[in-house]
Amino acid sequence: MNGADGAGPRRIKVVGNSGAGKTTMARAVAERLGVPHLELDAAFWGPDWQLVDQADGQATVRRFVADAQAAAGGWVVDGNWNSRLGDALPVDLVVWLDYPRRVVMPRVVRRTLVRVVSRRELWNGNRERWRSLLRREPEENIVRWAWTQHEAYRARYRDLQAQGTVPVLRLTSPRAARRWLAGLR
C-alpha cells in the first residue's frame, strides 16, 4: 500500500454506496496527506444531470491526476465511476467504505433532505430535487439507488479485492474508518 516513494499510499480512490461518506472521507484523507481531492461526480455529471461524454470526463480526470501528481505528489478521488474511468486513474489504494444498510440508509436520506431544503449546488449547477425523492426509478432517486445498489457495490469491490491487482482496504464501520484515518501519515 505504498506510494512511489515507499511512504504510504499517495493516489487513493474512496468508494462505497451512496451515503457511506465517500466525499467526507476523501476530503479528510486529502487534507491529512496534503494532496488535492476530486469528486468524480463533478467530472462525469454535467449541467441538468446530463452525463458528460465519457472521453471528456476521462480527460478531466487525467488533467486532475497529472496536475495533482506534479504539484503535490498524489491525490484523492471519490466515486464509483469504474465503467467510465477506463485507465484514467492509476491508484495505490482503494478505500472501500462497506457499511451496513442500517448505517448508509439513514445517512443518505438525511443528506438528501438537507440538500433538497438548502438547495445547495453539488456540481455543475446540479441540485437535489424534491421530485427526485418521489421517483420509482433508482437512476432518478438517490435513496432508491442506495438501497438497490448496496449488494452490487459489495460484489464489485469484493471482486476487486480478490483480484489483487490493486490493494483494497475494506472499512466496515465509521469507527474503523476513523481509526484508519487517524493512523494515516
Side-chain angles (χ1 to χ4, degrees), residues 51-150:
L51 284 173
V52 170
D53 177 76
Q54 184 171 347
D56 292 341
Q58 287 176 350
T60 298
V61 172
R62 283 192 180 98
R63 276 191 306 276
F64 167 79
V65 165
D67 292 348
Q69 196 66 37
W75 41 262
V76 179
V77 300
D78 68 87
N80 299 302
W81 291 91
N82 301 339
S83 63
R84 291 189 141 245
L85 279 169
D87 63 354
L89 201 59
V91 301
D92 297 327
L93 176 66
V94 172
V95 176
W96 171 24
L97 304 180
D98 182 26
Y99 302 162
R101 271 196 177 115
R102 72 178 184 280
V103 172
V104 171
M105 294 312 299
R107 283 179 167 198
V108 76
V109 168
R110 191 170 37 253
R111 178 193 79 183
T112 302
L113 289 173
V114 166
R115 286 177 173 179
V116 166
V117 169
S118 71
R119 301 284 301 138
R120 184 171 68 93
E121 182 180 333
L122 302 176
W123 344 262
N124 303 315
N126 294 315
R127 290 174 169 77
E128 300 275 8
R129 302 179 202 144
W130 282 110
R131 70 176 174 256
S132 296
L133 289 173
L134 303 175
R135 303 272 186 188
R136 290 189 156 284
E137 303 81 13
E139 295 80 11
E140 296 179 23
N141 180 329
I142 193 65
V143 175
R144 285 183 184 268
W145 179 264
W147 184 265
T148 62
Q149 295 303 303
H150 192 78

Side-chain angles (χ1 to χ4, degrees), residues 137-168:
E137 303 81 13
E139 295 80 11
E140 296 179 23
N141 180 329
I142 193 65
V143 175
R144 285 183 184 268
W145 179 264
W147 184 265
T148 62
Q149 295 303 303
H150 192 78
E151 290 306 319
Y153 285 133
R154 281 193 160 161
R156 177 188 300 172
Y157 296 116
R158 276 189 191 123
D159 289 349
L160 181 63
Q161 194 173 37
Q163 289 170 12
T165 54
V166 62
V168 176

Side-chain angles (χ1 to χ4, degrees), residues 21-59:
K22 295 181 298 293
T23 300
T24 301
M25 173 61 93
R27 285 182 182 143
V29 171
E31 183 177 326
R32 188 122 179 141
L33 296 177
V35 298
H37 163 250
L38 173 70
E39 281 183 78
L40 293 175
D41 283 337
F44 290 107
W45 281 121
D48 297 320
W49 295 103
Q50 296 300 308
L51 284 173
V52 170
D53 177 76
Q54 184 171 347
D56 292 341
Q58 287 176 350

